[in-house]
Amino acid sequence: MAYTPELSAKHSATLRRIAWAMQMPMTKALADILDYLGTTLDPVKVCSACRDKSRCATCPFNRKGTLHAQNPQLQHQ
């Protein structure tokens, strides 16, 4: 990974509590949280703002591989 964001003490403590509740390491809990967000956020909004079109085929926001077929404006060049 090229960039590793740092969590504030507040957000690290929140993630730690979530991980305890899920009975898993913080890194796995964070990955699960991000996977979940991939199923809940508006994919058109996310894809419209995306600056990396190289992973569209595996992107969690490109649900069932149909997002770009339905929205030609999201097709990468």
Side-chain angles (χ1 to χ4, degrees):
M1 175 182 278
Y3 170 71
T4 305
E6 293 188 28
L7 297 174
S8 68
K10 172 187 171 184
H11 292 115
S12 180
T14 300
L15 177 59
R16 186 171 40 253
R17 283 161 176 78
I18 292 168
W20 289 336
M22 297 172 74
Q23 298 182 350
M24 59 179 57
M26 288 172 58
T27 52
K28 174 73 169 111
L30 182 56
D32 284 359
I33 291 165
L34 293 173
D35 288 342
Y36 173 74
L37 286 174
T39 67
T40 60
L41 294 176
D42 178 4
V44 173
K45 184 174 184 177
V46 173
C47 291
S48 294
C50 182
R51 296 178 190 170
D52 179 11
K53 306 296 187 192
S54 68
R55 299 188 185 246
C56 295
T58 59
C59 180
F61 299 103
N62 185 13
R63 300 189 187 127
K64 298 182 182 177
T66 61
L67 183 62
H68 291 93
Q70 294 171 358
N71 297 286
Q73 72 273 18
L74 299 178
Q75 296 278 345
H76 64 280
Q77 306 296 329

